[in-house]
Each structure stands twice: as C-alpha cells, then as structure tokens.
C-alpha cells in the first residue's frame, strides 16, 4: 500500500465527513509543498458561464482555502482550475483558447497543477479531446462531484498522471461544506439543481442532470447564517425556480419558500433566477406584490415570439400566453423591471417567425434583453433538425433585434429620472475613483459620488440622469 492507498483506506465513507478528512490530508500536502518552495501555495479559479457556476466556484474556493491554499487572480498559480460552461459553442472555444496559454505557463513552472471542471466536462467528446490533445491537464471532474475537490486534488498530488472523475448524474446533495464568498454583502444560494425541461436547443439538462430541490430547512438555515454574517441580498438560484419543491417529500411552492425567506431578520433583498414562463404562478405574482424585500426584477426568458418556433423549442407556452403573462405582471407590479433572453436563428426560423419575436419585444418593452445567436449543441433534439438557418441570414436578424432591444431599453430605463431609490453599493466605479456603483431593486445600476465606506450599504440615491442602461445619481443630503 502506498501512502495514497492508506489515506483512502482510512477515509470515512459518508459525506461530508469524507471531504472534511480529505481537506485535512490535502492541507498536509499543501503545507509540505509551501515549506519546500519557501512561499505559500497559490490557487486561481476562473469561472465561465452563469450564476450557478459562479456559486460553484465559491464552493470550490472554500475547499481550497480550507486546504491551505492562498487565493490568487493570477493564472500563473500553483493550482489553476477552470470552471467551464458549454451552453453555446463560443463558451467552449474560449476555454480551448485559454488552455494554450496555461500550457505555456506550465512549461515555465512544471510543478503547476491544471484542472478543468463544470458543464463542458460532462460532454464525453470534450473529455476525449482533452485526453488526446491537452495532455498537460492534470485533473478533470464534472458538475455532480464538485464537492469532492479535496479528495480528487489529493489523489492528483499523490499519484502521477491525469485524474478523471465524471459522474453521469447524482441524487446526492452534499450540505455543509465550506464556501468563500466573493462579496461580503451579497450571495447566491442554490435552491435547486439540474433541469427537467429539455428545451430542444439546450444542453443544460444533459450536463446538469435531473431537477433536484434542496430541503427548505437547509436553504433557510444557509440564508440565516449568511444574514448573520452581514449578507443583505441573496439571489436564489435554479434553472427554473418556479418549479421549486415539486419533488420534495413534503412539496412546497416557490412562492411559499419566498415568503419564508422574506421573514429572515437582517436580510433586506431577495432576488431569484431564472423563471420559466410556463410555471409562473399567480401566487408568485402575489408574493412579489406583497413583499417589499423581493426585488422589483423578473427575468422571464422569451426565447422566441413565434408560437410555431416555441413549439419546436419545447417551451410549452405560445406567443399569446407569454404576452398575457407579461401584461398581467406589469399591471400587478408596475415598478417591476422585466428582462428576458432571446435566441435568433433557431432551426427553421423564417422571416415571419423573426418578425413575431420583434413584435413581442415592441409590445412588452423589456427593460433589457440578452440576445443570443442559436448555437448547435451536440446531442440536443434541435441539433438534428433540418433547415438550420445559415449565418448570413441569422446575423442581420441578430443586429436588427439588438438595435430594437437597445432602443426600447434606453427609453424604458430613463423613466425613473428624478426619483429617489435605494441602491446597494457593490463597489467603487471602475472608471472614476470619486464614484461608487450601486444596484437598484430593479437590477439597474447607478453611479454616484461616494467612497469605499459605502460598499455593502443600502443608500437612498436621487437618480439625476439616465445614461441609457444605467443612471447617474447623488446621495440625499
Ligand atoms: N434555465 C434558464 C436558461 C439557462 S441558459 C431558462 O430556461 O430560462 C441561458 C440562456 O441561454 C437561455 O435562456 C437561452 O436564451 C440561451 N441558450 C441556451 N441554449 C442555447 C443555444 N443552444 N443557443 C443559443 N442560446 C442558448
Ligand atoms: Fe435549458 Fe430550458 Fe432548462 Fe432553461 S429551462 S436550462 S433553457 S432546458
Ligand atoms: Fe453554462 Fe452550465 Fe450555466 S452550461 S450557462 S455554466 S449551467
């Protein structure tokens, strides 16, 4: 038995005890190495993709700090981890591009350890490609086993050669592992994992697995602890938060969860991402109306305005239903900011279909919209559909949509000039050191004179000028 096998034999079977054990063992390795090098061991995590991944990275960093690493933003670190995204092909291309750069860094420092995790690693073809063409990568794991980082990295240090650990899926939710928050005053909180919707273009259900809700007690306990630790704003995270709780032993609706979260002392603001239109209940609209702690922002992805395309997308609502829902929400909560995601160039999209999308954009008047060019994802039903739309047709449509969206959003965003609203200050302005940057309840940013002591505070700000997508403002005297 070598030392790794002995460590393995002594490890507890149950989680999180097993990972706590491996964090200690990894720490011994880290301490030994930093004595050898005569300096602390650094670790750098780069995150691609959505808030889920950002949250996962905070958990991964929490484990690394517990194991004795020093956090660094610099990729010339002793341990570099890329937490990847594969929702569109350009996310993948960015990772491959940066791997070339990491290879050059590793040639200068052969002791460097390179790891890849996240959604891209759940695709077998990606892992094959890395094994074949990126031999300098030391460790690969997926989305279902991030909680095992300490164990996997310990294995990596003890045994030579690439370590690969990808799980097809899991029903396990491991609680009570460390996390290192990026912001002291706000935090994402997972309320569910995975997705069951299988929109025909989307790879997320394949790489994130089936939908699993966390127990409400675990969510509430985490948020209470965050609030005690100074967090004033939480973002509840799930691919489709509106179906929260349906699969729990004691089912609970998302609206009910929101009510309970809103009761937590010290917590001032609640956000959530993302809402699927098909599951948005009247109860949710009611709770949002009743409860001032719930932010005046709803992200409600449209994807397409054409009922024909929505059907092919498997979105389970049509144009009329979406318009009705948006109108109802805007009527019930007039100060709410409504934002969306739109895909251009889904297979079979005609000029008429695209016009339907523009029509919805003009009628709803979104505060802002993320627009995407359809990206073919291997293994999804849409990838096998005939009549994929050629680039030269998609690009002009994309530009037309973007122009429309931007024009409307600058008009909509300007409407609150002269009003006073509360901003949560997130940091110093990156261009002007005399200004700070804050986020309004409706998710729009405001820049105003202030200093570092304002960061993390909720401050009433008079909105003096609209700059299209954000405001300039001043503190009240
Ligand atoms: N669960 C969320 C979305 C997660 S992915 C929801 O259903 O709303 C974020 C956005 O990426 C999606 O809303 C969609 O607009 C876009 N997207 C997903 N797959 C895509 C693809 N194959 N090509 C282009 N955009 C895509
Ligand atoms: Fe993808 Fe649809 Fe699930 Fe959103 S709801 S993650 S778009 S499959
Ligand atoms: Fe990307 Fe995975 Fe999020 S594919 S968008 S990081 S769930």
């Amino acid at each position: 038995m070598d030392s790794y096998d002995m460590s393995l034999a002594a490890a507890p079977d149950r989680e999180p005890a097993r990972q706590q054990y491996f964090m200690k063992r990894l720490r011994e390795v880290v301490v030994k190495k930093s004595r050898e090098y005569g300096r602390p061991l650094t670790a750098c995590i780069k995150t691609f993709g959505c808030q889920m991944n950002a949250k996962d990275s905070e958990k991964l960093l929490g484990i690394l700090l517990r194991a004795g690493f020093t956090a660094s933003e610099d990729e010339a670190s002793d341990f570099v981890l890329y937490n990847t995204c594969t929702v569109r092909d350009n996310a993948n291309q960015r990772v491959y591009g940066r791997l070339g750069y990491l290879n050059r860094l590793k040639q200068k420092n052969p002791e460097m350890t390179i790891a890849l995790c996240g959604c891209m690693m759940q695709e077998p073809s990606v892992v094959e490609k890395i094994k074949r063409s990126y031999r300098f990568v030391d460790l690969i794991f997926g989305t279902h086993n991030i909680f095992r980082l300490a164990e996997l990295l310990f294995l990596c240090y003890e045994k030579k050669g690439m370590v690969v650990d990808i799980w097809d899926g899991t029903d396990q939710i491991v609680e009570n592992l460390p996390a290192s928050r990026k912001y002291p005053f706000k935090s994402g909180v997972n309320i569910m994992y995975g997705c069951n919707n299988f929109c025909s273009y989307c790879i997320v259900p394949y790489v994130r697995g089936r939908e699993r809700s966390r127990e409400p007690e675990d969510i509430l306990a985490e948020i209470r602890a965050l609030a005690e630790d100074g967090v004033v704003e939480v973002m509840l995270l799930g691919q489709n938060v509106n179906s929260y709780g349906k699969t729990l032993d004691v089912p609970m609706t998302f609206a009910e969860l929101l009510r309970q979260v809103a009761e937590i002392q010290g917590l001032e603001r609640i956000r959530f991402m993302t809402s699927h239109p098909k599951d948005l209940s009247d109860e949710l609209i009611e709770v949002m109306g009743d409860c001032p702690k719930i932010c005046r922002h709803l992200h409600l992805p449209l994807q397409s305005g054409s009922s024909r395309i929505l059907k092919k997308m498997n979105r389970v609502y049509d144009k009329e239903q979406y318009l009705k829902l948006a109108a109802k929400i805007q009527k019930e909560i007039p100060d709410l900011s409504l934002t969306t995601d739109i895909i251009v160039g889904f297979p079979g999209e005609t000029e008429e279909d695209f016009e339907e999308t523009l029509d919805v954009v003009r009628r709803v008047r979104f505060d802002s919209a993320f627009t995407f060019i359809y990206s073919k994802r291997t293994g999804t039903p849409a990838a096998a559909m005939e009549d994929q739309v050629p680039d030269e047709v998609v690009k002009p449509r994309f530009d037309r949509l973007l122009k429309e969206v931007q024009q409307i959003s600058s008009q909509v965003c300007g409407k609150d000039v002269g009003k006073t609203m509360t901003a949560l200050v997130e940091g110093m302005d990156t261009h002007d050191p005399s200004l700070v940057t804050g986020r309004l309840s409706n998710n729009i940013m405001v820049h105003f004179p202030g200093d570092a002591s304002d960061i993390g505070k909720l401050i009433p700000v008079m909105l003096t000028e609209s700059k299209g997508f954000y405001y300039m403002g001043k503190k009240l005297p």
Side-chain angles (χ1 to χ4, degrees):
M1 256 197 192
D2 61 18
S3 70
Y4 174 73
D5 291 330
M6 282 193 297
S7 304
L8 206 61
D13 287 334
R14 292 178 72 91
E15 299 294 3
R18 184 178 175 88
Q19 295 315 310
Q20 263 134 15
Y21 167 86
F22 276 110
M23 280 188 262
K24 283 201 195 106
R25 305 310 314 267
L26 180 60
R27 196 179 174 93
E28 291 160 12
V29 178
V30 171
V31 168
K32 189 162 156 264
K33 281 186 184 284
S34 57
R35 275 209 200 103
E36 252 169 55
Y37 303 165
R39 57 171 179 80
L41 241 62
T42 51
C44 168
I45 302 181
K46 285 275 173 239
T47 311
F48 301 79
C50 65
Q51 274 100 345
M52 297 281 169
N53 261 16
K55 177 71 189 184
D56 284 350
S57 289
E58 293 188 352
K59 296 180 185 171
L60 292 161
L61 185 61
I63 294 171
L64 293 174
L65 296 182
R66 185 73 64 85
F69 282 95
T70 301
S72 166
E73 293 286 311
D74 186 353
E75 282 159 278
S77 283
D78 299 295
F79 178 57
V80 181
L81 173 59
Y82 280 179
N83 189 6
T84 63
C85 170
T86 186
V87 75
R88 287 171 291 276
D89 188 54
N90 52 12
N92 299 47
Q93 294 315 321
R94 277 173 59 211
V95 169
Y96 288 126
R98 290 206 71 83
L99 276 176
Y101 169 67
L102 281 192
N103 191 17
R104 290 195 292 283
L105 288 179
K106 190 168 180 169
Q107 279 161 5
K108 282 189 222 145
N109 173 17
E111 291 297 317
M112 184 176 171
T113 303
I114 298 176
L116 300 172
C117 70
C119 296
M120 225 175 125
M121 301 306 128
Q122 292 295 138
E123 289 182 273
S125 61
V126 170
V127 175
E128 283 315 309
K129 178 164 169 170
I130 290 163
K131 281 187 186 161
R132 204 171 49 237
S133 312
Y134 298 84
R135 293 295 313 163
F136 56 90
V137 172
D138 302 285
L139 167 62
I140 302 177
F141 56 102
T143 56
H144 302 296
N145 53 352
I146 61 160
F147 68 91
R148 291 184 87 210
L149 172 62
E151 179 170 353
L152 294 170
L153 187 53
F154 179 70
L155 169 64
C156 214
Y157 279 137
E158 295 290 299
K159 302 223 162 184
K160 291 290 163 209
M162 198 188 270
V163 173
V164 181
D165 187 30
I166 311 284
W167 295 5
D168 282 343
T170 184
D171 49 15
Q172 217 176 341
I173 295 179
V174 180
E175 300 283 352
N176 299 322
L177 283 168
S180 166
R181 295 200 313 275
K182 190 169 171 199
Y183 298 97
F185 51 86
K186 69 167 189 173
S187 178
V189 174
N190 299 108
I191 63 166
M192 57 208 299
Y193 302 94
C195 183
N196 282 354
N197 289 305
F198 291 95
C199 303
S200 64
Y201 50 81
C202 185
I203 199 163
V204 171
Y206 305 88
V207 296
R208 286 276 173 177
R210 292 297 66 72
E211 190 178 291
R212 304 171 300 286
S213 292
R214 271 177 86 193
E215 290 295 336
E217 297 76 44
D218 290 329
I219 298 169
L220 294 166
E222 180 179 343
I223 301 176
R224 272 187 218 111
L226 288 169
E228 269 165 33
D229 198 30
V231 165
V232 290
E233 179 179 301
V234 292
M235 161 95 76
L236 308 180
L237 299 172
Q239 294 300 349
N240 175 14
V241 292
N242 297 330
S243 70
Y244 171 78
K246 288 186 180 159
T247 53
L248 290 171
D249 292 339
V250 184
M252 179 193 256
T253 64
F254 178 55
E256 182 52 35
L257 179 72
L258 275 177
R259 274 193 215 282
Q260 295 194 12
V261 172
E263 278 167 22
I264 293 175
Q265 290 261 316
L267 186 70
E268 302 288 346
R269 280 181 167 187
I270 305 162
R271 299 183 183 280
F272 51 88
M273 277 273 243
T274 296
S275 282
H276 194 305
K278 78 176 164 73
D279 296 315
L280 197 139
S281 64
D282 287 347
E283 191 194 2
L284 177 66
I285 301 175
E286 200 179 301
V287 178
M288 289 186 82
D290 287 351
C291 180
K293 278 189 186 180
I294 303 175
C295 287
R296 291 308 182 235
H297 175 217
L298 185 67
H299 188 64
L300 192 65
L302 166 69
Q303 312 303 3
S304 169
S306 153
S307 297
R308 199 180 70 84
I309 295 292
L310 284 168
K311 193 152 197 248
K312 287 178 74 181
M313 286 178 160
N314 193 27
R315 289 290 289 180
V316 205
Y317 54 86
D318 63 17
K319 180 186 180 186
E320 292 312 314
Q321 284 166 327
Y322 188 94
L323 284 171
K324 240 167 98 183
L325 182 61
K328 179 155 77 179
I329 295 162
Q330 286 172 327
K331 179 164 163 275
E332 300 286 325
I333 318 169
D335 55 348
L336 179 115
S337 141
L338 196 61
T339 61
T340 201
D341 292 345
I342 300 170
I343 299 175
V344 181
F346 183 84
E349 185 190 75
T350 62
E351 177 60 23
E352 289 70 40
D353 293 316
F354 176 68
E355 295 277 349
E356 300 274 13
T357 298
L358 285 179
D359 185 47
V360 176
V361 165
R362 288 182 192 125
R363 283 161 73 173
V364 176
R365 297 179 61 76
F366 294 104
D367 290 74
S368 69
F370 294 107
T371 51
F372 306 108
I373 287 182
Y374 167 73
S375 172
K376 194 168 169 174
R377 309 314 290 134
T378 312
T380 61
M385 287 179 191
E386 283 166 15
D387 49 10
Q388 302 277 328
V389 188
D391 289 349
E392 60 275 19
V393 177
V394 179
K395 190 69 186 43
R397 279 185 199 159
F398 180 81
D399 293 340
R400 280 161 67 201
L401 176 66
L402 192 63
K403 203 169 143 225
E404 192 75 41
V405 158
Q406 286 178 344
Q407 206 171 11
I408 293 172
S409 117
S410 68
Q411 292 160 2
V412 178
C413 169
K415 72 179 188 300
D416 289 321
V417 170
K419 286 191 194 153
T420 297
M421 291 185 169
T422 303
L424 173 58
V425 179
E426 296 196 343
M428 299 305 296
D429 185 295
T430 41
H431 299 295
D432 182 342
S434 71
L435 302 179
V436 291
T437 300
R439 192 180 295 273
L440 302 172
S441 168
N442 63 14
N443 211 35
I444 296 175
M445 305 304 289
V446 55
H447 304 260
F448 60 97
D451 57 49
S453 69
D454 295 326
I455 297 172
K457 291 193 187 135
L458 287 151
I459 296 179
V461 184
M462 153 89 138
L463 309 177
T464 52
E465 188 190 347
S466 164
K467 293 278 192 184
F469 304 102
Y470 61 92
Y471 289 105
M472 302 305 293
K474 63 172 190 231
K475 275 191 217 175
L476 293 186

